[in-house]
Amino acid sequence: MRRAALIACALFVSTGLAHATPSQDLERGRSSFKARDWQSAKQVLNDLLYPDIQLARSEDVWEAHVLLGASAYEIGDRARAIREFEKAVQIDPETSITTLTFSEGAVRLYDQTREDMQARMERIAAQQKLAEQQAALEAYKKSLIVYETRPFYFNFLPFGLAQLSQGRYRATTLFAVGQGSTLALNVGIYGYLVGTYGFESTSVDPSDAPFVRRLQQVQIGAGIAFIALYAWGVYDSIRHHQPRRQVKGDDSLIPQDLKKPAPPSIKTSASFRERLRLSPMFNSELGAPTMGIGIGWEN
């Protein structure tokens, strides 16, 4: 009879443990943590969070991750502690932990993890904003249509300038060379004759008359060729004339708010070594002056 009662009592206890609620398991994890039983606390809290979260309230989930991370830290599993602290910060980035419940090392690691995550999130947000601005800039460039107006009198420009204004570079070269060479030949012969014989034809020596006549003929032919090439150039330019044509816009047409900004500088959290400050200290209250080193911490 007594043995049956003990068995029934054991079954009752085991049944009660099997049907413990997540809130009761969380309280059990708290108690184990306060009792510095890190392994038991880690096991209970791990079962509450993995593979599925058993807790309904977000503040309970945050506490479970913090307690699990602190337990992992106390038993030397720093990487697991950081992972759990990161999940806690994702749930509540504002709430901090204190040394009333946790060790100084756990508090320091939690604060460092929170600062690192905040810096990381700021960096990701800045990169995302930059990517969005770049996408908007590219979309604007694709939708940008720019037209260039071309006055009709441009068609009468000589030496291929009319074709150059149309963007026809091969025709520009042909007319520039043709008109330039014929005009240069005409003006060159005229300058030679005037410089040699003057403006009056009576000053030409009879023996040089055939030579001068041939030069004059070449000069006249060069002038006619220049006029013909110029007329051809005007006709060619008018034939390809477009009062308005679409051209590719440049960055000067982009609005100021869409221009590519410089990547924002993100201030990263300093490490413990970077925050540590050493300074000399002097003391003369004990009679003989003494010197020491002061250690400070920069937040």
Side-chain angles (χ1 to χ4, degrees), residues 45-266:
L45 296 166
N46 186 79
D47 293 341
L48 281 173
L49 297 172
Y50 303 98
D52 298 313
I53 297 176
Q54 306 297 322
L55 299 166
R57 301 195 311 162
S58 61
E59 53 266 33
D60 290 340
V61 179
W62 175 84
E63 182 184 6
H65 280 297
V66 172
L67 291 172
L68 180 55
S71 299
Y73 173 81
E74 299 299 342
I75 61 178
D77 191 352
R78 183 183 177 88
R80 176 68 184 275
I82 292 175
R83 289 199 301 270
E84 298 302 326
F85 286 161
E86 286 179 346
K87 292 180 179 180
V89 172
Q90 289 175 354
I91 298 172
D92 185 358
E94 301 299 329
T95 304
S96 58
I97 63 176
T98 66
T99 55
L100 295 176
T101 306
F102 303 92
S103 67
E104 291 184 1
V107 172
R108 188 162 51 248
L109 181 61
Y110 183 86
D111 291 341
Q112 184 65 46
T113 302
R114 183 171 61 173
E115 291 176 7
D116 291 345
M117 284 197 64
Q118 288 175 347
R120 191 186 315 157
M121 295 304 295
E122 290 176 2
R123 185 164 55 252
I124 292 174
Q127 292 173 349
Q128 183 177 1
K129 182 179 180 181
L130 190 62
E132 291 174 354
Q133 290 177 333
Q134 185 65 25
L137 176 62
E138 294 300 326
Y140 181 82
K141 283 184 176 180
K142 291 180 180 178
S143 65
L144 186 64
I145 300 177
V146 181
Y147 289 97
E148 179 185 67
T149 59
R150 184 174 177 273
F152 187 78
Y153 66 81
F154 275 19
N155 298 314
F156 297 93
L157 295 175
F159 305 113
L161 295 176
Q163 286 72 24
L164 180 63
S165 67
Q166 297 173 341
R168 300 167 53 227
Y169 303 109
R170 180 177 297 180
T172 298
T173 303
L174 292 176
F175 284 108
V177 172
Q179 295 178 19
S181 59
T182 54
L183 181 62
L185 181 60
N186 180 279
V187 173
I189 293 176
Y190 176 77
Y192 171 77
L193 292 176
V194 170
T196 304
Y197 303 103
F199 291 98
E200 298 292 335
S201 59
T202 56
S203 61
V204 177
D205 189 275
S207 61
D208 293 337
F211 173 71
V212 171
R213 189 176 297 111
R214 283 195 299 271
L215 287 180
Q216 289 176 334
Q217 291 173 349
V218 173
Q219 179 190 5
I220 294 172
I224 294 173
F226 171 78
I227 295 173
L229 287 172
Y230 172 73
W232 182 20
V234 171
Y235 168 76
D236 176 77
S237 179
I238 293 175
R239 190 164 62 91
H240 293 89
H241 177 69
Q242 291 179 339
R244 189 179 71 164
R245 66 178 183 136
Q246 184 176 344
V247 296
K248 184 178 180 180
D250 54 27
D251 290 348
S252 64
L253 301 174
I254 299 174
Q256 190 65 32
D257 57 341
L258 284 181
K259 287 187 176 180
K260 184 177 180 180
S265 59
I266 303 300

